[in-house]
Amino acid sequence: MHSISLALNGKPVHGQVEGRTLLVEFIRESRGLTGTHVGCDTSQCGACVVSVNGKAVKSCTVFAVACDGAEITTIEGLAKGVDLHPMQVAFKEHHGLQCGFCTPGMIMASIDIVKRHGKSVDEETIRRELSGNICRCTGYHNIVKAVQAGAANM
Amino acid sequence: MENFNYHRPATTTAAVALLKKSKDGKFLAGGHTLIPTMKQGLAAPRDVIDLTAIKGFSGIKVSKTMVTIKAGTTHQDVTMSKDVNKAIPALAQMVGKIGGVHVRHKGTIGGSLANNDPAADYPSACLGLGATIETNKRKIEADKFFTGMFETALKNDEIIIAVHFPIPKKASHQKFPNPASRYAMVGVFVSQDGKGKTRVGVTGAAPCVFRAVEVEAALNEEFSAKAASAVKISAKGLLSDMHASAAYRAHLLSVLAGRAVAAA
Ligand SMILES: Cc1cc2nc3c(=O)[nH]c(=O)nc-3n(C[C@H](O)[C@H](O)[C@H](O)COP(=O)(O)OP(=O)(O)OC[C@H]3O[C@@H](n4cnc5c(N)ncnc54)[C@H](O)[C@@H]3O)c2cc1C
Ligand code: FES
Ligand code: FES
């Protein structure tokens, strides 16, 4: 077992993990934060996307032990109390979800897109940049609208 | 996934020593090939030796004639690098098409080359530009590095340190991505150096990346899109699977070579 310490949604967290413990397992099973989802076992779907040291990564494809000392933000870390993050509000307002399974990863990926491309990111860029996030419900149109609206309000 | 001992050495020497001591050790870089492989049970190393804490393991240096990318540099850092975009725009653009951005935030050039996936993009750039792969032991020309499907000239305890890409006069990369996986069904990297010599690296089409020597010969005669796409590629030895037949891939190869020359 390895001891790790990291900042999870701004709070210091300590834990014991095996070498093989994936970051997503640590987040969901050790910390009980089940907003981060697992939608595949091939690193393709993006339901597990979280921010590690300011970058969107697939938490199913990172070992928790390698995140010792990292700053991690999950979907649970976005809202301020009852006030949702502008990107969460936009997904709600623009019907950017149906079953919601892909949504945490979509929102974490979308915030990362805005960080890199700015508030006025265009539709083509959003579509290209969401290629690592799969949604089996919406057909993507409303997700793209939501990201554009959320970006403008960030 | 089987459990393993995790190591995080601070130097290349320590990493090599750990690997030598292990019965069945594996280096870990971005993990975006190794971890999915371990999840599937296709790899079950006893010792995982994480290279990412090694000092100076990532970074980019550009001189007048050469782009040098250290092994641990992520795909995202390469595609965003102003220096690479200026020196070899085709390389920066190609790397920007590897997977999605989350994959690019973790995946590294060293991991991609050591893995030598038949559909990976970097190997075609290495052949297409005549790169040199520098390890902790020696320098290996790209032409001698990729030896077969998922096979390279690397010894078990050999670590890629950096990759040196000569800056060409012109270059372009064209990829026909599988719409689901984004890996190349066929990818073609064409370059021409200052002396007019052409190199054409092809990925996705065969079990291992290769140089399309027929296309190179045609382009050395006349560097034109027409000359490239007029070359008839034999389907013999090319991959045939649920995504595309060998004949389709052969056709794609000359079409993409033509487009690459047009865009170079
Ligand atoms: C969803 C998805 C889509 C992808 N799409 C593409 C794509 O379109 N094109 C593409 O080219 N790739 C693609 N990839 C692969 C991606 O680029 C990988 O990151 C890369 O192939 C491996 O790099 P890594 O740093 O993650 O290596 P790891 O997974 O850490 O390691 C891979 C292998 O290389 C060895 N290794 C790592 N570093 C070194 C080193 N410095 N010296 C010696 N051996 C080393 C390891 O021991 C291991 O055997 C995709 C991956 C995923 C998950
Ligand atoms: S769970 Fe599908 S990419 Fe991580
Ligand atoms: S809303 Fe159901 S998977 Fe995207």
Side-chain angles (χ1 to χ4, degrees), chain B residues 53-115:
Chain B
I54 293 176
K55 263 220 179 79
F57 196 57
S58 71
I60 296 168
K61 236 174 51 203
V62 177
S63 73
K64 274 213 174 78
T65 55
M66 200 70 81
V67 169
T68 297
I69 304 176
K70 298 238 188 113
T73 314
T74 63
H75 305 332
Q76 189 66 7
D77 283 348
V78 173
T79 190
M80 294 311 289
S81 157
K82 282 205 178 78
D83 291 341
V84 180
N85 273 286
K86 215 170 131 204
I88 317 181
L91 181 63
Q93 286 158 18
M94 180 202 79
V95 177
K97 290 184 209 150
I98 296 178
V101 67
H102 323 311
V103 172
R104 294 196 293 275
H105 275 151
K106 294 298 291 181
T108 67
I109 183 170
S112 178
L113 296 186
N115 189 50

Side-chain angles (χ1 to χ4, degrees), chain A residues 2 18-22 40-44 46 49 55-58 60-63 65-68 105 109 112-113 116 129 131-134, chain B residues 1-8 28 30-33 35-36 38-40 48 50 52 74 76-77 99-106 180-182:
Chain A
H2 304 265
E18 289 185 315
R20 64 177 162 185
T21 307
L22 298 168
C40 73
D41 56 9
T42 50
S43 306
Q44 281 176 317
V49 169
K55 286 181 184 155
V57 302
K58 291 177 165 170
C60 72
T61 315
V62 178
F63 292 124
V65 59
C67 296
D68 188 27
D112 185 67
I113 293 174
R116 286 178 293 108
E129 292 268 326
S131 72
N133 293 77
I134 296 172
Chain B
M1 190 189 296
E2 297 290 325
N3 203 15
F4 52 82
N5 303 308
Y6 174 82
H7 311 270
R8 201 173 164 80
L28 172 78
H32 271 53
T33 293
I35 297 175
M38 288 170 70
K39 283 190 197 174
Q40 287 168 33
V48 169
D50 188 343
T52 57
T74 63
Q76 189 66 7
D77 283 348
V101 67
H102 323 311
V103 172
R104 294 196 293 275
H105 275 151
K106 294 298 291 181
S181 76
R182 308 268 154 186

Side-chain angles (χ1 to χ4, degrees), chain B residues 115-186:
Chain B
N115 189 50
N116 192 19
D117 187 298
D121 293 308
Y122 261 125
S124 69
C126 287
L127 286 187
L129 289 166
T132 303
I133 291 106
E134 182 184 342
T135 74
N136 55 325
K137 294 176 195 262
R138 56 189 167 144
K139 290 188 170 171
I140 311 169
E141 284 168 35
D143 288 339
K144 298 200 175 115
F145 185 83
F146 306 103
T147 52
M149 189 167 180
F150 295 110
E151 297 284 338
T152 67
L154 288 175
K155 303 270 186 302
N156 188 38
D157 60 348
E158 199 164 6
I159 298 184
I160 301 176
I161 302 292
V163 187
H164 306 278
F165 295 96
I167 298 173
K169 198 171 87 192
K170 305 174 171 184
S172 167
H173 167 259
Q174 298 289 322
K175 167 173 173 177
F176 189 90
N178 177 310
S181 76
R182 308 268 154 186
Y183 270 99
M185 303 255 279
V186 177

